[in-house]
């Protein structure tokens, strides 16, 4: 994943997504808070409405209490002519004082629609005595009323009023939207049951209550209803659902009994908040239904703005990423590509310096760093060259005094023994060795190196005739290849000095050569004492893996295996690269194999080495 995608992903993951999640949480918490707050507010409103409705009924209870206390109803029931008791038809002059007072009280309540009495003792043509007349309304005969379930309930109340809402008992109250009070009438002197009073009032007072209640846009989105315990809608303020079952409009089953409850549900297919308040002393409940869209419209508007802002933020982030971040990440990407070139070995890679901000400093820093690295490489190269030359001179100095001294001593012995031919051979071989050693050329042909090695072995074999034998097997086609001088002789010297130390059998040194398309392989093998795993581990092979060429050469870490071995390794590695040099394989009692790997090129091909190692 590149830097541009990472930055954009980080912006989304650390800014946009947390902001979006916070907005969603706030949105749902706000919705829940709205529902809770509205439920509490509706509870207070419904309690207030219920209190007002109870006062309306209580006031009418007081009116009928007044008529009972003054004996108006008892007198009407005991009158010889019941029809003369109609307070709407009788003239003011025909009424007694109590009737006059009660009539004035009734006329002060214009909501009264109809009032009549049932005479429970009978004895007349009709058991119904009209108190307040009503056109086109026929009362339920007393005989049928006695069979009605309300009759026993009214009797059990023993004078307390029983209120009936519209549509509950239409056979008794008719089809008009009226509330009906039914109560038992007793004789004041002996408390004997004499009749049943039925008073109907219009729903004007309820309409006044809801009209005076201001909620939302004149209650446009709120519906108030009066519902009995069976789910029958007794009164709908909007006059649409009167007489219907509320369960047909609401999926949730209708339940009554709790003092107050509020929940969110669908009503008539629209998401709404339904609040139910149980009226005390009545089998009715006030129901408030408010559209959820009306309650949440402000939050919904806020949510739309929030989503719009989030979208703008995302678009801005993408624009910022494509316009501004492209320059930053593009410059960094260019620097990364040049760094990869450096990793692949192109130390001359340089970045074009552009801009006038920190990116310019980064580009200059990269270029300056590469300049310093090149300087350090050149310095290391010079130091390595000086070190190799110094070690070569040390090696040559070691050969000259030590080997020269021993060889001259051997020649002296031959001269004393009058071995003139052998003296001449030894002198010629020593001269050849010295001639090659003091040449200024760094590289010589393999033919000269083999000749130098043969002269060295012959001299050493004369000195240690019974110690070892040797064999040189180098193909003729390899003789014109170039290699560093004094490469094979130190390896053979290492075998003689260390491999054959303390052996009780005759040693053998075999030097072989082999060509590959790209390399020259020279192997020095002896049957000496070999090396243990610990000794090999102490040499510390530098097994740096190259994908194309395999492991690099071994690097001896201790001088105890001979200065010549270390010098040959350093010179080969410095001259040809890390994948060339010496590879050592040994086992105690099985001898040692040292393989020298160098690039293949011959005299007159100065560019071949660069193609082979670079």
């Amino acid at each position: 994943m590149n830097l541009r995608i990472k930055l954009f992903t980080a912006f989304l993951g650390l800014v946009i997504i947390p902001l979006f999640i916070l907005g969603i949480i706030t949105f749902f918490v706000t919705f829940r808070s709205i529902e809770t707050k509205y439920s509490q507010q509706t509870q207070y409103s419904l309690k207030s409405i219920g209190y007002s409705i109870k006062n309306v009924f209580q006031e009418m209870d007081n009116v009928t209490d007044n008529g009972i206390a003054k004996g108006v109803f008892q007198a009407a029931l005991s009158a010889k002519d019941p029809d003369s008791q109609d307070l709407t038809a009788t003239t003011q002059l025909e009424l007694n004082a109590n009737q006059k007072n009660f009539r004035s009280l009734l006329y002060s309540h214009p909501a009264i629609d109809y009032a009549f009495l049932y005479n429970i003792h009978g004895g007349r043509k009709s058991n119904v005595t009209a108190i307040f007349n009503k056109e086109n309304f026929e009362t339920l005969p007393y005989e049928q009323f006695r069979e009605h379930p309300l009759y026993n309930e009214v009797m059990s109340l023993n004078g307390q009023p029983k209120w009936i809402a519209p549509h509950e008992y239409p056979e008794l109250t008719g089809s008009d939207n009226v509330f009906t009070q039914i109560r038992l009438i007793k004789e004041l002197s002996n408390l004997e049951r004499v009749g049943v009073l039925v008073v109907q009032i219009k729903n004007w007072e309820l309409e006044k209550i809801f009209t005076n209640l201001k909620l939302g846009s004149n209650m446009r989105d709120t519906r108030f209803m009066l519902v009995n315990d069976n789910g029958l809608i007794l009164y709908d303020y909007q006059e649409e659902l009167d007489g219907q079952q509320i369960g047909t409009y609401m999926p949730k089953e209708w339940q009554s009994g709790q003092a107050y409850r509020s929940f969110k549900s669908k009503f008539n297919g629209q998401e709404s908040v339904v609040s139910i308040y149980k009226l005390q002393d009545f089998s009715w409940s006030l129901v408030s239904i408010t559209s959820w869209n009306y309650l949440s419209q402000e939050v919904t508007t806020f949510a739309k703005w929030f989503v719009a802002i989030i979208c703008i933020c995302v678009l801005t982030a993408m624009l910022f990423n494509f316009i501004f971040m492209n320059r930053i990440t593009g410059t960094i990407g260019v620097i990364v590509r040049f760094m990869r070139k450096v990793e692949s070995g192109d130390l001359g890679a340089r970045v074009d310096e552009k801009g006038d901000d920190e990116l310019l400093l980064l580009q200059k820093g990269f270029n300056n760093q590469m300049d310093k690295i090149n300087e350090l490489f050149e310095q290391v190269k010079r130091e390595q060259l000086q070190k190799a030359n110094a070690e070569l001179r040390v090696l040559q100095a070691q050969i000259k005094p030590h080997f020269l001294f021993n060889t001259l001593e051997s020649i002296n012995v031959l001269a004393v023994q009058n071995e003139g031919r052998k003296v001449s051979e030894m002198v010629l071989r020593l001269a050849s060795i010295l001639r090659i050693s003091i040449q200024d050329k760094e590289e010589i042909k393999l033919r000269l190196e083999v000749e130098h090695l043969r002269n060295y072995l012959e001299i050493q074999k004369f000195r240690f005739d019974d110690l070892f034998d040797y064999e040189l097997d180098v193909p003729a086609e390899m003789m014109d290849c170039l290699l560093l001088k004094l490469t094979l002789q130190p390896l053979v010297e290492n075998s003689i000095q260390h491999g054959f130390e303390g052996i009780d059998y005759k040693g053998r040194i075999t030097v072989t050569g082999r060509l590959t398309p790209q390399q020259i392989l020279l192997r020095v093998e002896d049957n000496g004492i070999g090396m243990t795993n610990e000794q090999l581990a102490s040499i510390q092979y530098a097994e740096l893996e190259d994908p194309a060429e395999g492991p690099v050469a071994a690097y001896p870490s201790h001088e105890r295996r001979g200065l010549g071995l270390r010098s040959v390794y350093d010179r080969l590695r410095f001259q040809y690269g890390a994948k060339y040099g010496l590879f050592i394989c040994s086992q105690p009692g099985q001898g040692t194999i040292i393989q020298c790997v160098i690039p293949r090129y011959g005299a007159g091909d100065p560019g071949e080495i660069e193609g082979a190692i670079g």
Side-chain angles (χ1 to χ4, degrees):
M1 184 182 296
N2 58 37
L3 183 60
R4 185 185 301 109
I5 297 178
K6 286 183 179 179
L7 291 175
F8 183 71
T9 304
F11 183 79
L12 287 179
L14 300 179
V15 179
I16 300 300
I17 293 178
L19 185 62
F20 185 73
I21 294 175
L22 179 62
I24 292 177
I25 294 174
T26 304
F27 183 76
F28 284 105
V29 170
T30 304
F31 267 35
R32 182 60 182 171
S33 176
I34 289 175
E35 182 179 351
T36 303
K37 295 295 183 183
Y38 178 76
S39 176
Q40 296 174 353
Q41 179 183 353
T42 305
Q43 182 179 9
Y44 299 141
S45 300
L46 293 180
K47 282 184 178 180
S48 177
I49 296 173
Y51 181 76
S52 300
I53 293 175
K54 187 175 182 180
N55 286 340
V56 172
F57 294 144
Q58 185 66 43
E59 187 175 357
M60 186 52 60
D61 291 342
N62 293 336
V63 171
T64 55
D65 287 343
N66 185 276
I68 293 174
K70 292 183 177 181
V72 175
F73 302 126
Q74 293 88 334
L77 289 171
S78 61
K80 296 180 179 180
D81 186 6
D83 294 335
S84 62
Q85 304 301 313
D86 188 351
L87 299 181
T88 61
T90 307
T91 63
Q92 184 72 13
L93 296 177
E94 296 175 350
L95 298 177
N96 57 35
N98 288 334
Q99 289 176 329
K100 289 179 181 180
N101 293 332
F102 186 69
R103 175 172 175 159
S104 298
L105 186 62
L106 291 178
Y107 272 105
S108 65
H109 293 80
I112 295 179
D113 187 57
Y114 182 46
F116 64 93
L117 292 165
Y118 282 118
N119 192 327
I120 65 176
H121 294 297
R124 296 175 181 157
K125 293 182 180 179
S126 175
N127 288 345
V128 179
T129 301
I131 302 298
F132 224 69
N133 201 4
K134 183 178 182 181
E135 296 181 359
N136 300 324
F137 179 75
E138 295 184 2
T139 60
L140 186 69
Y142 178 69
E143 291 75 11
Q144 296 182 19
F145 176 65
R146 288 195 62 178
E147 301 298 328
H148 201 279
L150 280 175
Y151 180 81
N152 294 328
E153 186 177 353
V154 171
M155 291 297 122
S156 64
L157 291 175
N158 199 25
Q160 295 294 324
K162 168 67 178 179
W163 283 96
I164 303 173
H167 311 293
E168 284 191 305
Y169 301 101
E171 69 277 6
L172 180 62
T173 60
S175 58
D176 294 342
N177 291 329
V178 294
F179 288 85
T180 304
Q181 181 198 83
I182 305 176
R183 64 187 303 177
L184 179 65
I185 305 298
K186 295 182 181 180
E187 184 63 43
L188 296 177
S189 58
N190 55 15
L191 298 180
E192 180 185 0
R193 298 178 177 180
V194 294
V196 177
L197 173 65
V198 180
V199 179
Q200 293 183 344
I201 63 172
K202 299 177 182 179
N203 57 9
W204 294 350
E205 296 297 329
L206 270 70
E207 290 180 352
K208 289 180 181 179
I209 293 173
F210 292 110
T211 301
N212 294 331
L213 182 65
K214 303 296 183 182
L215 181 64
S217 304
N218 293 326
M219 296 188 299
R220 182 184 61 190
D221 297 292
T222 302
R223 179 190 296 270
F224 289 98
M225 296 183 297
L226 189 66
V227 183
N228 66 7
D229 292 346
N230 296 324
L232 179 65
I233 300 175
L234 308 175
Y235 171 80
D236 178 17
Y237 174 74
Q238 298 182 3
E239 299 180 352
E240 295 178 355
L241 306 179
D242 291 339
Q244 302 185 42
Q245 287 289 331
I246 193 173
T248 59
Y249 298 94
M250 189 169 60
K252 192 169 184 177
E253 184 178 355
W254 171 260
Q255 295 178 355
S256 62
Q258 299 181 19
Y260 177 78
R261 60 194 179 102
S262 180
F263 53 89
K264 189 161 66 173
S265 175
K266 285 187 178 295
F267 187 85
N268 201 15
Q270 185 178 15
E271 193 75 17
S272 305
V273 176
V274 180
S275 302
I276 304 173
Y277 174 71
K278 176 70 175 177
L279 294 177
Q280 295 181 358
D281 303 327
F282 296 94
S283 59
W284 307 329
S285 297
L286 276 172
V287 179
S288 168
I289 300 172
T290 305
S291 171
W292 180 250
N293 291 333
Y294 164 72
L295 294 176
S296 61
Q297 58 185 358
E298 294 184 359
V299 179
T300 303
T301 302
F302 165 77
K304 292 179 180 178
W305 277 102
F306 177 79
V307 172
I309 292 173
I310 289 294
C311 293
I312 293 174
C313 290
V314 173
L315 292 177
T316 304
M318 295 177 65
L319 185 64
F320 176 79
N321 183 69
F322 292 142
I323 295 179
F324 298 99
M325 293 304 298
N326 270 349
R327 178 177 174 273
I328 299 174
T329 57
T331 303
I332 296 176
V334 170
I335 296 176
V336 170
R337 287 196 296 273
F338 276 87
M339 291 176 63
R340 289 175 179 171
K341 288 184 178 180
V342 174
E343 289 179 355
S344 63
D346 184 7
L347 299 181
R350 296 294 184 273
V351 181
D352 293 337
E353 299 178 0
K354 300 178 181 179
D356 56 355
D357 51 11
E358 287 80 1
L359 293 176
L360 178 61
L361 298 178
L362 184 60
Q363 295 166 356
K364 288 184 176 180
F366 175 80
N367 291 337
N368 293 335
Q369 184 180 13
M370 291 310 304
D371 291 338
K372 291 181 179 180
I373 289 175
N374 281 327
E375 292 177 3
L376 291 175
F377 267 108
E378 291 298 327
Q379 181 180 351
V380 171
K381 186 175 181 180
R382 290 193 300 269
E383 293 177 352
Q384 289 291 338
L385 181 58
Q386 294 172 359
K387 178 182 177 182
N389 291 332
E391 289 185 350
L392 179 60
R393 287 192 294 271
V394 170
L395 181 62
Q396 292 172 346
Q398 181 188 27
I399 292 175
K400 289 178 181 178
H402 180 71
F403 176 73
L404 182 59
F405 176 79
N406 291 333
T407 303
L408 290 176
E409 184 178 351
S410 298
I411 293 174
N412 181 54
V413 172
L414 290 175
V416 171
Q417 295 177 356
N418 292 321
E419 296 286 345
R421 188 180 59 82
K422 291 185 179 180
V423 170
S424 175
E425 182 181 351
M426 291 284 285
V427 171
L428 290 175
R429 294 187 184 278
L430 179 61
S432 177
I433 291 174
L434 294 177
R435 185 182 306 111
I436 295 175
S437 299
I438 63 177
Q439 281 185 1
D440 293 334
K441 294 181 180 180
E442 185 70 17
E443 290 183 318
I444 60 175
K445 291 183 178 182
L446 181 58
R447 178 179 290 104
L448 294 177
E449 181 70 15
V450 172
E451 180 184 351
H452 174 81
L453 178 62
R454 190 186 304 275
N455 291 328
Y456 173 79
L457 286 171
E458 286 296 329
I459 291 175
Q460 292 291 64
K461 193 165 185 339
F462 175 77
R463 294 181 58 217
F464 309 104
D465 186 33
D466 297 330
L467 181 62
F468 70 93
D469 287 329
Y470 72 89
E471 179 184 358
L472 300 179
D473 184 13
V474 180
E477 61 268 17
M478 297 179 58
M479 292 302 182
D480 290 331
C481 295
L482 296 179
L483 79 164
L484 291 176
K485 67 179 180 179
L486 297 180
T487 297
L488 296 177
Q489 181 268 330
L491 306 182
V492 172
E493 181 181 7
N494 186 77
S495 297
I496 295 173
Q497 291 184 355
H498 301 284
F500 298 153
E501 183 179 1
I503 62 175
D504 55 357
Y505 54 89
K506 194 169 187 177
R508 182 173 184 80
I509 297 175
T510 304
V511 179
T512 59
R514 183 167 61 89
L515 279 177
T516 68
Q518 300 293 333
Q519 295 174 337
I520 297 174
L521 304 179
L522 298 172
R523 175 179 294 189
V524 177
E525 183 176 357
D526 67 62
N527 62 345
I529 61 175
M531 288 183 286
T532 64
N533 291 334
E534 290 76 12
Q535 290 173 326
L536 282 174
S538 66
I539 296 178
Q540 295 183 0
Y541 287 89
E543 296 290 339
L544 299 177
E545 191 71 22
D546 185 282
E549 301 295 337
V552 300
Y555 187 92
S557 62
H558 299 284
E559 298 295 333
R560 68 186 184 86
R561 297 304 297 171
L563 178 62
L565 188 63
R566 172 66 179 272
S567 176
V568 171
Y569 168 79
D570 287 340
R571 291 166 59 224
L572 292 177
R573 189 168 181 268
F574 175 78
Q575 180 71 18
Y576 303 122
K579 60 184 179 180
Y580 297 101
L582 301 180
F583 298 86
I584 302 176
C585 179
S586 183
Q587 187 175 354
Q590 301 296 323
T592 300
I593 299 174
I594 302 176
Q595 181 163 284
C596 175
V597 182
I598 58 177
R600 175 181 177 179
Y601 65 96
D605 299 325
E608 288 293 330
I609 185 172
E610 296 182 3
I613 67 174

